[in-house]
């Protein structure tokens, strides 16, 4: 048995690691020759402004009064420049977005093992190809381009990381800091001849990273006054900065300007997925070498309705992919296109001769072709053709013989039921509403079975209550913390903390220190406090559920906080049903966990059907508990300063909490029914010629959900993994496979943890023994 588990664990670990070795390796290649147009460029310098987290509609769409929020940038679109929509790709995060903008490729998947701030591999960028680049902005973005640059010609100026606080009174001060620093830099150049000499040279880049809009969007949502006012501040800052740049270079007409965003943001203040509000970002280009505004009278080719909504039907719109901006910037200032760029030069933005456009396009095509040649050479060197042999299919004759004595009707019914459940879970990865089918079946199961009269109503009502979460939109029950009724929940500390935290953040007073201490203390003690309670079944489970629900409440943003209580209620109903089933089949149960003996010999035939039902229900509940909300606002009770690793860890713990609730219930039922894995294996080790042997062999495989369930489940996503198509398609398929592959190991470790959590007790003090005369 131990060898079986070790071999199974080894196989799963090998398959798990193989995915990273096959898919999570960098596709970038090196050794290509740089390509640049031989003709002189139209611009000597480039000013790149990236407004982090700015949605296209937030900039382009007029307000309720019909006026624009960004009058200067609107005048650029209508008079001096060209505009369009930059289409980003998932993950719509700051790092991949900036890599696409400045390096011209969509960040490779190997970055997952390197974190947010470190380059997974060295790559070329517009900054690296420039003569000098000066950068101002966030410490999370700028260092990665300075670190990857060859030489010391990329200069970065960042503010302290502590300023990136979601609870800040006004996050727009981050953008104000950037504008002030750039102004001081340009003013100092008038008195510094060496700096002025460097500025006067060609192929220079100035990069401004503005994080205020993104931070205000996370803290207050994109429709808030703070977010919209931050756009006005950026607009006025860009206007003043352009005037200052033109003045310091004596209006020589050799400066090109690019204004864009790395990603957008959803209405509830998050980003990372592929919703249009996250992938549609603004792009404005003007200055040297760029077409001025082009008036059109005929309908344009875009059918998304945005032109009418933004009142821009009369201005030519030129959309691009985000990676296309890198070759555009390179062509404007005459530097080689980044070696790893996959972007295609958008000719509609260039205002130059046909010969210059042709040479630029030719350089772009050769640059992409060079990558193909190097990649092909690497493939030929690392591929051994003689190792590829046709797959040898074996026969199943000996297996159809092994199980010839099984009751075929019953086996077919089990197989059909398990297959249906697995198919349902597979589809639910793409359409969460499909979980409604499983919940509906579970709610009707007691009525259809006719066995458990006392639990019929409770089972149906509990499962019906969970239907709310399976049918809810992706941001589960999206309501603010103010949606919690403080009068109703004011009796508990963990309900008071989110309410008071929300009020404090609304008043821009920051995160109260007391609330932060309470939140971290509650989180740290959530797995220890239950160990202090009695090991009696009801007392221990209630302690576990309350401790975890308190933590989940602190990580909730609204009505989703009701999910653990409803799920816990359903778990107690499940336990009640199993107890009634034991009584109906003549199996006596005990009420205290500490008195159960896992090695006790019992008659397994009386509870085999009960065990199979347990496995199916627990498997469904564990999978259903994946329904949760990923929202940065979920962690505001713990911290508001941006820290991706701590925030990610807290949200992962939020996902794990429903798993623990379900697994503790399953552990309780396994103990209360006195069915242990050892008993099952003893049944399997009976005479190999006995019909009972084959039945229990099949029962073991179903009970552990290791072969027919997880491997069938895994098989689906193995064949759904694809190495072609968009980054979104590839990334999604790999993510699904990794999630399912890790499920087996995760549940094994979680089972061990829940066993300790439900059966162990810690005594902080001992009762003194009293002696009486």
């Amino acid at each position: 048995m131990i060898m079986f588990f070790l071999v199974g664990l080894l196989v799963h670990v090998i398959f798990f690691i193989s995915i990273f070795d096959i898919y999570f390796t960098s596709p970038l290649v090196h050794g290509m020759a740089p390509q640049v147009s031989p003709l002189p460029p139209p611009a000597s310098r480039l000013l790149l402004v990236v407004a982090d987290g700015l949605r296209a509609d937030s900039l382009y769409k007029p307000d309720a009064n019909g006026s624009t929020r960004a009058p200067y940038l609107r005048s650029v679109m209508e008079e001096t420049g060209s505009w369009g929509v930059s289409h980003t790709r998932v993950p719509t995060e700051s790092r991949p977005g900036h890599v696409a903008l400045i390096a011209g490729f969509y960040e490779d998947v190997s970055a997952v093992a390197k974190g947010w701030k470190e380059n997974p591999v060295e790559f070329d960028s517009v900054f690296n190809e420039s003569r000098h680049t000066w950068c101002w902005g966030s410490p999370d973005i700028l260092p990665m381009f300075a670190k990857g640059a060859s030489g010391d010609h990329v200069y970065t100026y960042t503010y302290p990381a502590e300023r990136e606080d979601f609870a800040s009174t006004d996050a727009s001060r981050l953008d104000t800091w950037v504008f002030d620093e750039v102004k001081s830099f340009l003013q100092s150049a008038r008195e510094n001849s060496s700096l002025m000499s460097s500025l006067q040279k060609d192929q220079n880049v100035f990069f401004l990273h503005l994080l205020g809009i993104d931070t205000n969007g996370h803290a207050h949502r994109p429709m808030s006054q703070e977010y919209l006012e931050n756009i006005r501040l950026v607009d006025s800052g860009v206007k003043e900065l352009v005037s200052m740049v033109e003045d310091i270079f004596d209006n020589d007409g050799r400066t090109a300007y690019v204004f864009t965003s790395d990603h957008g943001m959803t209405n509830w203040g998050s980003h990372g997925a592929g919703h249009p509000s996250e992938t549609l970002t603004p792009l404005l280009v003007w200055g040297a070498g760029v077409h001025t505004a082009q008036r059109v009278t005929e309908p344009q080719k875009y059918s998304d309705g945005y032109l009418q909504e933004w009142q821009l039907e009369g201005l030519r719109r030129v959309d691009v992919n985000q990676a296309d901006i890198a070759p555009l910037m390179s062509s404007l200032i005459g530097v080689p296109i980044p070696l790893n760029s996959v972007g295609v030069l958008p000719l509609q933005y260039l205002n130059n001769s046909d010969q210059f456009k042709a040479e630029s396009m030719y350089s772009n095509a050769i640059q992409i072709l060079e990558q193909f040649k190097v990649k092909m050479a690497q493939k030929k060197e690392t591929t051994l053709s003689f190792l590829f042999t046709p797959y040898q299919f074996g026969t199943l004759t000996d297996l159809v013989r092994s199980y010839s004595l099984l009751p075929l009707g019953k086996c077919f019914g089990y197989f059909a039921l398990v297959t249906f459940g697995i198919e349902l879970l597979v589809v639910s990865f793409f359409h969460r509403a499909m979980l409604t089918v499983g919940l509906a079946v579970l709610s009707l199961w007691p009525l259809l079975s006719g066995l458990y009269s006392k639990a019929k109503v409770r089972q149906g009502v509990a499962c019906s209550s969970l239907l709310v979460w399976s049918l809810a939109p992706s941001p589960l029950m999206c309501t603010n913390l103010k949606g919690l009724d403080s009068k109703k929940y004011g009796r508990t500390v963990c309900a008071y903390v989110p309410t008071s935290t929300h009020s404090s953040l609304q008043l821009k007073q920051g995160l109260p220190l007391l609330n932060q201490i309470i939140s971290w203390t509650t989180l740290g003690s959530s797995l220890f406090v239950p160990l202090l309670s009695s090991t009696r079944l009801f007392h221990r489970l209630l302690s576990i559920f309350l401790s975890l629900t308190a933590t989940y409440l602190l990580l909730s943003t609204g009505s989703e906080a009701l999910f653990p209580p409803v799920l816990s209620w359903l778990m107690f109903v499940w336990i009640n049903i199993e107890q009634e089933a034991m009584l109906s089949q003549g199996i006596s149960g005990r009420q205290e966990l500490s008195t159960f003996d896992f090695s006790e010999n019992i008659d397994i035939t009386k509870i085999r059907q009960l065990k199979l039902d347990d496995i199916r229900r627990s498997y469904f509940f564990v999978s259903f508990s994946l329904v949760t909300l990923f929202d940065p606002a979920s962690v505001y009770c713990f911290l508001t300063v941006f820290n991706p690793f701590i925030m990610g860890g807290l949200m992962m713990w939020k996902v794990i909490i429903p798993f623990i609730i379900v697994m503790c219930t399953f552990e309780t039922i396994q103990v209360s029914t006195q069915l242990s894995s050892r008993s099952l294996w003893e049944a399997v080790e009976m005479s190999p010629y006995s019909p009972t042997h084959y039945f229990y062999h099949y029962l073991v495989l179903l009970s552990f959900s290791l072969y027919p369930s997880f491997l069938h489940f895994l098989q689906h996503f193995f064949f759904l993994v694809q190495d072609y198509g968009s980054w979104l398609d590839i990334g999604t398929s790999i993510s699904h496979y990794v999630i399912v592959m890790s499920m087996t190991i995760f549940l094994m470790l979680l089972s061990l943890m829940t066993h300790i959590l439900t059966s162990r007790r810690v005594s902080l003090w001992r009762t003194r023994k009293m002696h009486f005369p």
Side-chain angles (χ1 to χ4, degrees), residues 424 427-437 468-477 624 626-629:
L424 182 66
V427 177
S428 68
F429 267 70
F430 306 94
H431 307 284
R432 189 180 61 185
M434 291 302 298
L435 293 173
T436 306
V437 178
V468 177
W469 280 272
S470 63
L471 292 174
S474 180
L476 180 60
M477 306 292 286
F624 178 71
L626 285 169
V627 180
T628 188
L629 173 62

PDB file of all heavy atoms in Angstrom, residues 424 427-437 468-477 624 626-629:
ATOM      1  N   LEU A 424     -19.255  17.092 -16.218  1.00  0.00           N
ATOM      2  CA  LEU A 424     -19.855  18.310 -15.690  1.00  0.00           C
ATOM      3  C   LEU A 424     -18.790  19.236 -15.119  1.00  0.00           C
ATOM      4  O   LEU A 424     -18.817  20.457 -15.324  1.00  0.00           O
ATOM      5  CB  LEU A 424     -20.886  17.959 -14.613  1.00  0.00           C
ATOM      6  CG  LEU A 424     -21.663  19.127 -13.984  1.00  0.00           C
ATOM      7  CD1 LEU A 424     -22.546  19.781 -15.030  1.00  0.00           C
ATOM      8  CD2 LEU A 424     -22.484  18.644 -12.813  1.00  0.00           C
ATOM      9  N   VAL A 427     -16.737  20.893 -18.000  1.00  0.00           N
ATOM     10  CA  VAL A 427     -17.456  22.004 -18.625  1.00  0.00           C
ATOM     11  C   VAL A 427     -17.523  23.203 -17.680  1.00  0.00           C
ATOM     12  O   VAL A 427     -17.464  24.357 -18.110  1.00  0.00           O
ATOM     13  CB  VAL A 427     -18.877  21.555 -19.033  1.00  0.00           C
ATOM     14  CG1 VAL A 427     -19.662  22.719 -19.613  1.00  0.00           C
ATOM     15  CG2 VAL A 427     -18.794  20.425 -20.052  1.00  0.00           C
ATOM     16  N   SER A 428     -17.596  22.939 -16.363  1.00  0.00           N
ATOM     17  CA  SER A 428     -17.699  24.038 -15.399  1.00  0.00           C
ATOM     18  C   SER A 428     -16.438  24.879 -15.345  1.00  0.00           C
ATOM     19  O   SER A 428     -16.479  26.018 -14.877  1.00  0.00           O
ATOM     20  CB  SER A 428     -18.014  23.479 -14.006  1.00  0.00           C
ATOM     21  OG  SER A 428     -16.915  22.742 -13.488  1.00  0.00           O
ATOM     22  N   PHE A 429     -15.298  24.346 -15.821  1.00  0.00           N
ATOM     23  CA  PHE A 429     -14.083  25.153 -15.904  1.00  0.00           C
ATOM     24  C   PHE A 429     -14.261  26.313 -16.876  1.00  0.00           C
ATOM     25  O   PHE A 429     -13.610  27.339 -16.754  1.00  0.00           O
ATOM     26  CB  PHE A 429     -12.895  24.289 -16.344  1.00  0.00           C
ATOM     27  CG  PHE A 429     -12.103  23.728 -15.212  1.00  0.00           C
ATOM     28  CD1 PHE A 429     -12.623  22.735 -14.399  1.00  0.00           C
ATOM     29  CD2 PHE A 429     -10.834  24.196 -14.930  1.00  0.00           C
ATOM     30  CE1 PHE A 429     -11.901  22.212 -13.352  1.00  0.00           C
ATOM     31  CE2 PHE A 429     -10.101  23.680 -13.885  1.00  0.00           C
ATOM     32  CZ  PHE A 429     -10.632  22.681 -13.089  1.00  0.00           C
ATOM     33  N   PHE A 430     -15.144  26.117 -17.871  1.00  0.00           N
ATOM     34  CA  PHE A 430     -15.363  27.142 -18.877  1.00  0.00           C
ATOM     35  C   PHE A 430     -16.694  27.861 -18.670  1.00  0.00           C
ATOM     36  O   PHE A 430     -16.813  29.034 -19.026  1.00  0.00           O
ATOM     37  CB  PHE A 430     -15.332  26.509 -20.270  1.00  0.00           C
ATOM     38  CG  PHE A 430     -14.090  25.708 -20.536  1.00  0.00           C
ATOM     39  CD1 PHE A 430     -14.064  24.337 -20.318  1.00  0.00           C
ATOM     40  CD2 PHE A 430     -12.939  26.326 -20.992  1.00  0.00           C
ATOM     41  CE1 PHE A 430     -12.918  23.602 -20.570  1.00  0.00           C
ATOM     42  CE2 PHE A 430     -11.788  25.597 -21.233  1.00  0.00           C
ATOM     43  CZ  PHE A 430     -11.775  24.231 -21.029  1.00  0.00           C
ATOM     44  N   HIS A 431     -17.684  27.169 -18.095  1.00  0.00           N
ATOM     45  CA  HIS A 431     -19.000  27.757 -17.847  1.00  0.00           C
ATOM     46  C   HIS A 431     -19.416  27.387 -16.425  1.00  0.00           C
ATOM     47  O   HIS A 431     -19.933  26.287 -16.185  1.00  0.00           O
ATOM     48  CB  HIS A 431     -20.026  27.254 -18.866  1.00  0.00           C
ATOM     49  CG  HIS A 431     -19.611  27.431 -20.289  1.00  0.00           C
ATOM     50  ND1 HIS A 431     -19.655  28.658 -20.931  1.00  0.00           N
ATOM     51  CD2 HIS A 431     -19.104  26.549 -21.193  1.00  0.00           C
ATOM     52  CE1 HIS A 431     -19.225  28.518 -22.178  1.00  0.00           C
ATOM     53  NE2 HIS A 431     -18.885  27.250 -22.355  1.00  0.00           N
ATOM     54  N   ARG A 432     -19.190  28.293 -15.500  1.00  0.00           N
ATOM     55  CA  ARG A 432     -19.424  27.975 -14.089  1.00  0.00           C
ATOM     56  C   ARG A 432     -20.884  27.680 -13.792  1.00  0.00           C
ATOM     57  O   ARG A 432     -21.205  26.954 -12.861  1.00  0.00           O
ATOM     58  CB  ARG A 432     -18.942  29.142 -13.209  1.00  0.00           C
ATOM     59  CG  ARG A 432     -18.938  28.816 -11.739  1.00  0.00           C
ATOM     60  CD  ARG A 432     -18.458  29.986 -10.918  1.00  0.00           C
ATOM     61  NE  ARG A 432     -19.316  31.141 -11.070  1.00  0.00           N
ATOM     62  CZ  ARG A 432     -19.048  32.329 -10.532  1.00  0.00           C
ATOM     63  NH1 ARG A 432     -17.936  32.500  -9.872  1.00  0.00           N
ATOM     64  NH2 ARG A 432     -19.860  33.345 -10.689  1.00  0.00           N
ATOM     65  N   ALA A 433     -21.781  28.218 -14.600  1.00  0.00           N
ATOM     66  CA  ALA A 433     -23.200  27.981 -14.365  1.00  0.00           C
ATOM     67  C   ALA A 433     -23.568  26.515 -14.475  1.00  0.00           C
ATOM     68  O   ALA A 433     -24.627  26.105 -13.982  1.00  0.00           O
ATOM     69  CB  ALA A 433     -24.045  28.811 -15.340  1.00  0.00           C
ATOM     70  N   MET A 434     -22.710  25.688 -15.098  1.00  0.00           N
ATOM     71  CA  MET A 434     -22.995  24.258 -15.213  1.00  0.00           C
ATOM     72  C   MET A 434     -23.003  23.579 -13.856  1.00  0.00           C
ATOM     73  O   MET A 434     -23.587  22.505 -13.698  1.00  0.00           O
ATOM     74  CB  MET A 434     -21.972  23.592 -16.124  1.00  0.00           C
ATOM     75  CG  MET A 434     -22.083  23.992 -17.584  1.00  0.00           C
ATOM     76  SD  MET A 434     -23.705  23.629 -18.285  1.00  0.00           S
ATOM     77  CE  MET A 434     -23.753  21.848 -18.119  1.00  0.00           C
ATOM     78  N   LEU A 435     -22.346  24.194 -12.863  1.00  0.00           N
ATOM     79  CA  LEU A 435     -22.404  23.630 -11.517  1.00  0.00           C
ATOM     80  C   LEU A 435     -23.825  23.620 -10.973  1.00  0.00           C
ATOM     81  O   LEU A 435     -24.133  22.880 -10.035  1.00  0.00           O
ATOM     82  CB  LEU A 435     -21.493  24.429 -10.578  1.00  0.00           C
ATOM     83  CG  LEU A 435     -19.990  24.323 -10.854  1.00  0.00           C
ATOM     84  CD1 LEU A 435     -19.236  25.298  -9.968  1.00  0.00           C
ATOM     85  CD2 LEU A 435     -19.500  22.909 -10.618  1.00  0.00           C
ATOM     86  N   THR A 436     -24.687  24.439 -11.573  1.00  0.00           N
ATOM     87  CA  THR A 436     -26.079  24.471 -11.152  1.00  0.00           C
ATOM     88  C   THR A 436     -26.739  23.105 -11.352  1.00  0.00           C
ATOM     89  O   THR A 436     -27.586  22.691 -10.559  1.00  0.00           O
ATOM     90  CB  THR A 436     -26.838  25.546 -11.953  1.00  0.00           C
ATOM     91  OG1 THR A 436     -26.162  26.789 -11.816  1.00  0.00           O
ATOM     92  CG2 THR A 436     -28.272  25.683 -11.452  1.00  0.00           C
ATOM     93  N   VAL A 437     -26.346  22.405 -12.407  1.00  0.00           N
ATOM     94  CA  VAL A 437     -26.920  21.085 -12.679  1.00  0.00           C
ATOM     95  C   VAL A 437     -26.605  20.133 -11.529  1.00  0.00           C
ATOM     96  O   VAL A 437     -27.478  19.409 -11.034  1.00  0.00           O
ATOM     97  CB  VAL A 437     -26.376  20.543 -14.011  1.00  0.00           C
ATOM     98  CG1 VAL A 437     -26.936  19.150 -14.280  1.00  0.00           C
ATOM     99  CG2 VAL A 437     -26.716  21.485 -15.151  1.00  0.00           C
ATOM    100  N   VAL A 468     -27.192  30.304  -5.813  1.00  0.00           N
ATOM    101  CA  VAL A 468     -26.959  31.740  -5.988  1.00  0.00           C
ATOM    102  C   VAL A 468     -25.537  31.995  -6.448  1.00  0.00           C
ATOM    103  O   VAL A 468     -25.277  32.806  -7.327  1.00  0.00           O
ATOM    104  CB  VAL A 468     -27.255  32.494  -4.673  1.00  0.00           C
ATOM    105  CG1 VAL A 468     -26.935  33.974  -4.819  1.00  0.00           C
ATOM    106  CG2 VAL A 468     -28.711  32.290  -4.278  1.00  0.00           C
ATOM    107  N   TRP A 469     -24.581  31.255  -5.849  1.00  0.00           N
ATOM    108  CA  TRP A 469     -23.174  31.494  -6.185  1.00  0.00           C
ATOM    109  C   TRP A 469     -22.792  30.889  -7.527  1.00  0.00           C
ATOM    110  O   TRP A 469     -21.949  31.422  -8.232  1.00  0.00           O
ATOM    111  CB  TRP A 469     -22.282  30.943  -5.077  1.00  0.00           C
ATOM    112  CG  TRP A 469     -22.218  31.882  -3.924  1.00  0.00           C
ATOM    113  CD1 TRP A 469     -21.359  32.912  -3.745  1.00  0.00           C
ATOM    114  CD2 TRP A 469     -23.091  31.896  -2.788  1.00  0.00           C
ATOM    115  NE1 TRP A 469     -21.618  33.566  -2.566  1.00  0.00           N
ATOM    116  CE2 TRP A 469     -22.675  32.969  -1.950  1.00  0.00           C
ATOM    117  CE3 TRP A 469     -24.171  31.126  -2.382  1.00  0.00           C
ATOM    118  CZ2 TRP A 469     -23.296  33.272  -0.755  1.00  0.00           C
ATOM    119  CZ3 TRP A 469     -24.802  31.421  -1.192  1.00  0.00           C
ATOM    120  CH2 TRP A 469     -24.374  32.475  -0.387  1.00  0.00           C
ATOM    121  N   SER A 470     -23.404  29.785  -7.898  1.00  0.00           N
ATOM    122  CA  SER A 470     -23.067  29.186  -9.189  1.00  0.00           C
ATOM    123  C   SER A 470     -23.641  29.981 -10.344  1.00  0.00           C
ATOM    124  O   SER A 470     -23.114  29.933 -11.459  1.00  0.00           O
ATOM    125  CB  SER A 470     -23.571  27.742  -9.247  1.00  0.00           C
ATOM    126  OG  SER A 470     -24.985  27.704  -9.155  1.00  0.00           O
ATOM    127  N   LEU A 471     -24.728  30.709 -10.125  1.00  0.00           N
ATOM    128  CA  LEU A 471     -25.346  31.503 -11.181  1.00  0.00           C
ATOM    129  C   LEU A 471     -24.913  32.957 -11.158  1.00  0.00           C
ATOM    130  O   LEU A 471     -25.266  33.720 -12.044  1.00  0.00           O
ATOM    131  CB  LEU A 471     -26.881  31.447 -11.048  1.00  0.00           C
ATOM    132  CG  LEU A 471     -27.512  30.085 -11.332  1.00  0.00           C
ATOM    133  CD1 LEU A 471     -29.003  30.133 -11.032  1.00  0.00           C
ATOM    134  CD2 LEU A 471     -27.263  29.665 -12.770  1.00  0.00           C
ATOM    135  N   ALA A 472     -24.127  33.364 -10.117  1.00  0.00           N
ATOM    136  CA  ALA A 472     -23.693  34.747 -10.015  1.00  0.00           C
ATOM    137  C   ALA A 472     -22.691  35.057 -11.114  1.00  0.00           C
ATOM    138  O   ALA A 472     -22.022  34.170 -11.634  1.00  0.00           O
ATOM    139  CB  ALA A 472     -23.064  35.003  -8.644  1.00  0.00           C
ATOM    140  N   PRO A 473     -22.544  36.350 -11.502  1.00  0.00           N
ATOM    141  CA  PRO A 473     -21.528  36.710 -12.495  1.00  0.00           C
ATOM    142  C   PRO A 473     -20.137  36.473 -11.954  1.00  0.00           C
ATOM    143  O   PRO A 473     -19.947  36.205 -10.770  1.00  0.00           O
ATOM    144  CB  PRO A 473     -21.792  38.205 -12.746  1.00  0.00           C
ATOM    145  CG  PRO A 473     -22.505  38.669 -11.522  1.00  0.00           C
ATOM    146  CD  PRO A 473     -23.328  37.509 -11.055  1.00  0.00           C
ATOM    147  N   SER A 474     -19.128  36.611 -12.831  1.00  0.00           N
ATOM    148  CA  SER A 474     -17.754  36.277 -12.464  1.00  0.00           C
ATOM    149  C   SER A 474     -17.290  36.960 -11.191  1.00  0.00           C
ATOM    150  O   SER A 474     -16.766  36.320 -10.311  1.00  0.00           O
ATOM    151  CB  SER A 474     -16.805  36.617 -13.607  1.00  0.00           C
ATOM    152  OG  SER A 474     -15.495  36.295 -13.274  1.00  0.00           O
ATOM    153  N   PRO A 475     -17.445  38.295 -11.070  1.00  0.00           N
ATOM    154  CA  PRO A 475     -17.129  38.902  -9.787  1.00  0.00           C
ATOM    155  C   PRO A 475     -18.261  38.618  -8.830  1.00  0.00           C
ATOM    156  O   PRO A 475     -19.282  39.306  -8.819  1.00  0.00           O
ATOM    157  CB  PRO A 475     -17.017  40.388 -10.110  1.00  0.00           C
ATOM    158  CG  PRO A 475     -17.892  40.572 -11.279  1.00  0.00           C
ATOM    159  CD  PRO A 475     -17.862  39.291 -12.058  1.00  0.00           C
ATOM    160  N   LEU A 476     -18.133  37.587  -8.027  1.00  0.00           N
ATOM    161  CA  LEU A 476     -19.224  37.024  -7.244  1.00  0.00           C
ATOM    162  C   LEU A 476     -19.906  38.064  -6.381  1.00  0.00           C
ATOM    163  O   LEU A 476     -19.295  38.679  -5.522  1.00  0.00           O
ATOM    164  CB  LEU A 476     -18.677  35.894  -6.370  1.00  0.00           C
ATOM    165  CG  LEU A 476     -19.680  35.182  -5.484  1.00  0.00           C
ATOM    166  CD1 LEU A 476     -20.766  34.540  -6.302  1.00  0.00           C
ATOM    167  CD2 LEU A 476     -18.995  34.184  -4.599  1.00  0.00           C
ATOM    168  N   MET A 477     -21.205  38.284  -6.643  1.00  0.00           N
ATOM    169  CA  MET A 477     -22.031  39.160  -5.829  1.00  0.00           C
ATOM    170  C   MET A 477     -21.332  40.499  -5.606  1.00  0.00           C
ATOM    171  O   MET A 477     -21.124  40.941  -4.484  1.00  0.00           O
ATOM    172  CB  MET A 477     -22.317  38.499  -4.478  1.00  0.00           C
ATOM    173  CG  MET A 477     -22.921  37.114  -4.599  1.00  0.00           C
ATOM    174  SD  MET A 477     -24.583  37.114  -5.266  1.00  0.00           S
ATOM    175  CE  MET A 477     -25.470  37.741  -3.861  1.00  0.00           C
ATOM    176  N   PHE A 624     -16.664  22.515  -6.390  1.00  0.00           N
ATOM    177  CA  PHE A 624     -17.534  23.685  -6.354  1.00  0.00           C
ATOM    178  C   PHE A 624     -16.938  24.794  -5.499  1.00  0.00           C
ATOM    179  O   PHE A 624     -17.178  25.970  -5.736  1.00  0.00           O
ATOM    180  CB  PHE A 624     -18.908  23.288  -5.809  1.00  0.00           C
ATOM    181  CG  PHE A 624     -19.858  24.459  -5.695  1.00  0.00           C
ATOM    182  CD1 PHE A 624     -20.369  25.043  -6.827  1.00  0.00           C
ATOM    183  CD2 PHE A 624     -20.212  24.961  -4.457  1.00  0.00           C
ATOM    184  CE1 PHE A 624     -21.236  26.108  -6.734  1.00  0.00           C
ATOM    185  CE2 PHE A 624     -21.078  26.018  -4.355  1.00  0.00           C
ATOM    186  CZ  PHE A 624     -21.596  26.591  -5.496  1.00  0.00           C
ATOM    187  N   LEU A 626     -14.213  25.973  -5.594  1.00  0.00           N
ATOM    188  CA  LEU A 626     -13.334  26.839  -6.353  1.00  0.00           C
ATOM    189  C   LEU A 626     -13.992  28.172  -6.667  1.00  0.00           C
ATOM    190  O   LEU A 626     -13.320  29.116  -7.059  1.00  0.00           O
ATOM    191  CB  LEU A 626     -12.948  26.159  -7.681  1.00  0.00           C
ATOM    192  CG  LEU A 626     -11.927  25.027  -7.591  1.00  0.00           C
ATOM    193  CD1 LEU A 626     -11.860  24.298  -8.916  1.00  0.00           C
ATOM    194  CD2 LEU A 626     -10.563  25.557  -7.213  1.00  0.00           C
ATOM    195  N   VAL A 627     -15.318  28.254  -6.536  1.00  0.00           N
ATOM    196  CA  VAL A 627     -16.034  29.487  -6.835  1.00  0.00           C
ATOM    197  C   VAL A 627     -15.672  30.535  -5.787  1.00  0.00           C
ATOM    198  O   VAL A 627     -16.084  30.451  -4.640  1.00  0.00           O
ATOM    199  CB  VAL A 627     -17.562  29.258  -6.836  1.00  0.00           C
ATOM    200  CG1 VAL A 627     -18.272  30.545  -7.136  1.00  0.00           C
ATOM    201  CG2 VAL A 627     -17.922  28.198  -7.865  1.00  0.00           C
ATOM    202  N   THR A 628     -14.896  31.508  -6.152  1.00  0.00           N
ATOM    203  CA  THR A 628     -14.496  32.559  -5.232  1.00  0.00           C
ATOM    204  C   THR A 628     -14.143  33.795  -6.030  1.00  0.00           C
ATOM    205  O   THR A 628     -14.115  33.775  -7.253  1.00  0.00           O
ATOM    206  CB  THR A 628     -13.313  32.113  -4.355  1.00  0.00           C
ATOM    207  OG1 THR A 628     -13.085  33.097  -3.338  1.00  0.00           O
ATOM    208  CG2 THR A 628     -12.054  31.945  -5.170  1.00  0.00           C
ATOM    209  N   LEU A 629     -13.852  34.847  -5.354  1.00  0.00           N
ATOM    210  CA  LEU A 629     -13.636  36.138  -5.997  1.00  0.00           C
ATOM    211  C   LEU A 629     -12.198  36.573  -5.847  1.00  0.00           C
ATOM    212  O   LEU A 629     -11.680  36.636  -4.746  1.00  0.00           O
ATOM    213  CB  LEU A 629     -14.561  37.184  -5.375  1.00  0.00           C
ATOM    214  CG  LEU A 629     -14.343  38.631  -5.810  1.00  0.00           C
ATOM    215  CD1 LEU A 629     -14.588  38.780  -7.292  1.00  0.00           C
ATOM    216  CD2 LEU A 629     -15.254  39.559  -5.031  1.00  0.00           C
TER     217      LEU A 629
END
